[in-house]
Amino acid sequence: MRYFFYLLMIAFLSVMLFWGMKAYSEAKAYEKTTHSLVAEMSPEKLAKFQLKELAATVSLGFYKNKTKETLDVMKEVQQTERVQSRKYALYALIPLLGILLSYFFTSLRVFTFFNALAALITLIMGLVTPIMMVTIHKEVEYLGDVVLSFESKSVLGSVEKLFSNGDIIVAGVILLFSVIIPIVKIFSMLFVSLFMQNRFAHTIVKFFKLIGKWSMVDVFVVATFLVYLTVGKGDVSRAEVEVGLYFFLAYVIVSMLVSLSADKMLHEERERQTIASA
């Protein structure tokens, strides 16, 4: 029965990883298609488009604006990719509920181990998948909605851009609290679950319990980062949350539960040792 449970947990993790990769692929495709559409909304392209629309109107149907037909197809593809990315992200997070519910059916040690692996998957997906799409646009007479700026980045991609732009402090804070500390924390919880008798296990849990009050800094940093990207550079900014944020928030929740589980696991182990030595 125990081995069947382990196989079930591994199956849940495999499903999470599979659909997570599918969500990442569709999110990147959506990003690429949106970038192509935005390129068609520059002042020069819109001017040419309006001239073709005028020609199509004057010709009474003898001339067709092929650019319009191409854009309509791209918009359909874009919408499909957007829906698919969110659907696959949901498929990836559903097995996570099964892994979390294992708390009621197994030991704290096993729960901590498999949920730490689940946290690792959601963290990786949250770091590499686009997290926010921001466009700065302006309504121009005769041309329509002109896009002045377009950004769509993952957390890692944004850190790289901030470093290259010289915003070292902002990039460093995001890198520390959203990448380095989460990775160290996950592998520490895996170590604790595998070697809970090790004298370092208690020290590790105490350390992360000590900085537990900073656990929401991950979310704060992401929120700050999103605000930083959306500060006004034009007349209007349009921000759209992408699936990377869902994965990252899932990591934050699972990570907090894993920390609580590890702390409780070591507390019970300490009590057993005390009773055994009495």
Side-chain angles (χ1 to χ4, degrees), residues 100-221:
L100 290 173
L101 288 174
S102 66
Y103 175 83
F104 300 102
F105 306 101
T106 188
S107 65
L108 287 173
R109 187 175 189 178
V110 174
F111 174 84
T112 302
F113 176 77
F114 282 108
N115 277 273
L117 291 177
L120 180 61
I121 292 174
T122 54
L123 175 63
I124 292 173
M125 291 295 103
L127 293 178
V128 302
T129 307
I131 197 170
M132 178 69 97
M133 184 181 293
V134 179
T135 55
I136 308 297
H137 56 101
K138 181 178 182 180
E139 193 72 24
V140 178
E141 191 175 2
Y142 303 118
L143 293 181
D145 193 16
V146 178
V147 175
L148 305 175
S149 175
F150 168 77
E151 288 288 346
S152 178
K153 290 284 191 298
S154 63
V155 174
L156 290 180
S158 301
V159 169
E160 180 183 0
K161 181 181 179 181
L162 289 169
F163 268 119
S164 63
N165 288 345
D167 298 305
I168 299 177
I169 295 178
V170 178
V173 170
I174 295 175
L175 181 64
L176 177 63
F177 287 105
S178 297
V179 182
I180 297 176
I181 289 181
I183 290 176
V184 172
K185 181 178 181 179
I186 289 174
F187 282 102
S188 297
M189 293 302 103
L190 286 172
F191 175 84
V192 168
S193 64
L194 292 173
F195 307 101
M196 66 178 185
Q197 287 84 11
N198 190 289
R199 61 190 180 91
F200 291 110
H202 293 276
T203 304
I204 291 171
V205 173
K206 283 182 180 178
F207 171 74
F208 284 107
K209 189 176 181 180
L210 180 65
I211 64 172
K213 59 184 178 181
W214 299 94
S215 60
M216 292 306 292
V217 169
D218 317 57
V219 182
F220 171 76
V221 167

Side-chain angles (χ1 to χ4, degrees), residues 261-276:
S261 172
D263 183 43
K264 186 176 180 181
M265 175 186 69
L266 292 181
H267 179 72
E268 291 181 356
E269 176 66 17
R270 191 183 302 112
E271 288 183 343
R272 281 196 295 267
Q273 291 177 355
T274 303
I275 294 173

Side-chain angles (χ1 to χ4, degrees), residues 3-40:
Y3 295 109
F4 172 78
F5 177 82
Y6 293 164
L7 289 174
L8 182 61
M9 291 296 101
I10 292 172
F12 280 153
L13 291 170
S14 300
V15 171
M16 277 185 62
L17 185 59
F18 173 78
W19 289 115
M21 293 300 296
K22 293 280 286 184
Y24 166 79
S25 177
E26 288 295 325
K28 294 297 289 183
Y30 173 60
E31 179 184 69
K32 183 178 179 181
T33 303
T34 303
H35 189 275
S36 299
L37 281 169
V38 165
E40 297 295 328

